[in-house]
Amino acid sequence: MQTTKMKQDVKPIDCSHYINGNYVPSKNGQTFENINPATEEVLGVVAQGGKQEVDQAVTAARKALKGEWGDMPIRQRSAIVRKIGDLILERKSELATLETLDTGKPLWLSNKIDIERAAYNFHFFADYMTSVGTESYQQDDIAIHYAVRRPTGVVGLINPWNLPLLLMTWKLAPALAAGNAVVMKPSEETPMTATILAEICTEAGVPDGVVNMVHGFGETGAAITSHEQVDAIAFTGETITGSAIMQSAAPTLKKLSFELGGKNPNIIFADADLDDVIETTMKSSFINQGEVCLCGSRIYVERSIYDQFLERFVEKTKALKVGDPFDETTNVGALVSKEHYQKVLSYLDIAKEEGGTFLTGGKASDMEKGFFVEPTIITDLGRESRCVREEIFGPVVTVVPFDTEEEVLEQVNDTHYGLSASLWTSDIKRATRLSAQIEAGMVWVNTWFLRDLRTPFGGMKHSGIGREGGMHSFDFYSELTNVTVKL
Ligand code: NDP
């Protein structure tokens, strides 16, 4: 049995709400425990917010939209947005440690992806916001039409637990760049880095009331999404929750941006570079314990290289080290919570019942404590298998052989998800042809998770509504007024 050590030079924090520039407890003093998923120890307590705290936060945000923030010249606002990114980097080690304590992911990953990219979100939008324009049309000698941009207003930012700081900043940076005020709701499983982010915003010069945060679960999210003074909701998380949020936001007709679940295919043709394929498939399958909405959890391999692919993929997967997130050599850490761990294990039972063959894993890992699951490769599952169709959100992939382009395309699109796909071939014509036919918001050709923040990010079908990134984020976080001047 292995055990997990906790890195002790950064202490976990208790999490209060952040309203109008101050940390505040809940009115009724209620809290809940925050659990370390790698040790099952209590990290601290978190304030349990409800309607009252959300109302206070929304009132502060609405007031802050005017005055100093509303009147601020764009270059000054851009400098503040940039400074938030700088301060995140200054506190990188502390933030990375807290992220790992909260999520169970390896510390090297928190450092390399979560915190670095969180800072870059602010640096990117600090630059981008200074060059954003609007449309203008001259209509012969009759009129000139031009659009004026203004902030959307008070925006609710609701985020999941898999990439807590990264996903919160992916929304907060453009929201601030476009001049909005926000109420953030981090996941109850991973509240620590967002709590620090709130104070970083104030330190960077964001006026009080512009950035607010309410913690909680059960009723907190709905109190934000149904609040009549909230103008828009940006949500990342499960598809079914997106649907519940839509219902809750419908009476007040809020603007919505959803990045929802995925069951993303990796499609590997025999003419692809197999070394590249294997290296990237390891990441797209198991990085962050498979808890990334973009993970390629359905792998389709052309039959002529199926055995060769599996041999190499299985060998590499068996070599992955599961365990202590603070050990630099760990590849796969703990799943985020007991509830999620049980959900992932239940899918392994389903796969057994469905007649799947386990080439690796298939069980919990050999750790004394914590929610660790071994990286699992399953074959011999039919296309109706729940493990092939449903989002498991853990270190579990299915591998299926295919014979023709038409056949694989049909299987790839036979899902209500449509987030991303990773397509592997050296035939550029085939890559172009298939990319246009795969029903997904993002198709990577001979790569995976390669991002440029100017590009549209998001899913189609049940994987999302709208796109984030560059101008797409700006359009969501601002409203346009068209002005027509008669000549
Ligand atoms: P939930 O969908 O239960 O909750 C996510 C957030 O949404 C919480 O902050 C919750 O707050 C809020 N929320 C839930 N219902 C409403 C509502 N009606 N109105 C407003 N806000 C609401 O997600 P979990 O974190 O429990 O994860 C569940 C599953 O989702 C996982 O097992 C995983 O499979 C999948 N998942 C997918 C992700 C993705 O990006 N595709 C990311 C993370 C998880 P409150 O409790 O206060 O309502």
Side-chain angles (χ1 to χ4, degrees), residues 22-274:
N22 294 301
Y23 285 117
V24 291
S26 289
K27 278 263 186 270
N28 61 10
Q30 266 191 11
T31 59
F32 59 94
E33 287 181 340
N34 183 19
I35 305 295
N36 179 342
T39 61
E40 300 180 49
E41 288 164 7
V42 176
L43 290 165
V45 293
V46 186
Q48 167 65 34
K51 277 198 167 140
Q52 251 189 321
E53 289 74 22
V54 167
D55 199 45
Q56 277 181 301
V58 173
T59 305
R62 183 128 309 270
K63 194 161 164 234
L65 272 177
K66 305 277 177 218
E68 189 188 355
W69 187 239
D71 296 339
M72 195 175 277
I74 199 155
R75 284 181 66 180
Q76 191 182 342
R77 203 164 73 222
S78 164
I80 290 174
V81 172
R82 171 169 298 285
K83 178 85 177 163
I84 299 172
D86 295 345
L87 292 175
I88 287 174
L89 289 181
E90 271 178 32
R91 295 176 74 168
K92 184 175 167 185
S93 166
E94 174 195 6
L95 287 165
T97 302
L98 295 179
E99 203 73 307
T100 286
L101 289 171
D102 248 352
T103 58
K105 71 177 72 187
L107 182 65
W108 61 262
L109 187 64
S110 293
N111 268 305
K112 192 172 150 199
I113 300 284
D114 297 71
I115 312 304
E116 287 272 339
R117 289 203 184 187
Y120 184 59
N121 286 336
F122 288 100
H123 290 155
F124 170 81
F125 279 106
D127 289 337
Y128 194 84
M129 65 188 281
T130 60
S131 61
V132 170
T134 56
E135 296 159 270
S136 164
Y137 303 97
Q138 174 151 2
Q139 187 182 8
D140 302 321
D141 59 354
I142 303 165
I144 293 176
H145 309 264
Y146 65 92
V148 179
R149 197 177 280 282
R150 70 182 82 190
T152 295
V154 174
V155 188
L157 311 180
I158 302 181
N159 273 300
W161 39 255
N162 55 335
L163 301 159
L165 189 69
L166 172 54
L167 291 176
M168 190 62 90
T169 57
W170 178 231
K171 295 177 172 23
L172 181 62
L176 294 180
N180 297 273
V182 305
V183 178
M184 305 190 285
K185 155 77 175 77
S187 166
E188 64 273 17
E189 307 287 359
T190 53
M192 291 197 287
T193 48
T195 302
I196 294 200
L197 176 64
E199 95 187 8
I200 284 179
C201 291
T202 300
E203 200 185 329
V206 175
D208 291 349
V210 172
V211 171
N212 306 278
M213 184 183 50
V214 182
H215 291 291
F217 66 95
E219 51 168 337
T220 324
I224 299 172
T225 54
S226 61
H227 199 292
E228 61 173 17
Q229 290 295 320
V230 172
D231 302 290
I233 299 291
F235 169 73
T236 297
E238 208 187 7
T239 296
I240 195 167
T241 311
S243 170
I245 289 177
M246 211 166 182
Q247 288 184 37
S248 151
T252 46
L253 287 172
K254 295 187 197 327
K255 202 172 175 183
L256 299 172
S257 166
F258 287 167
E259 199 269 276
L260 306 174
K263 189 72 187 177
N264 312 301
N266 285 16
I267 308 144
I268 301 163
F269 284 90
D271 61 1
D273 179 328
L274 199 54

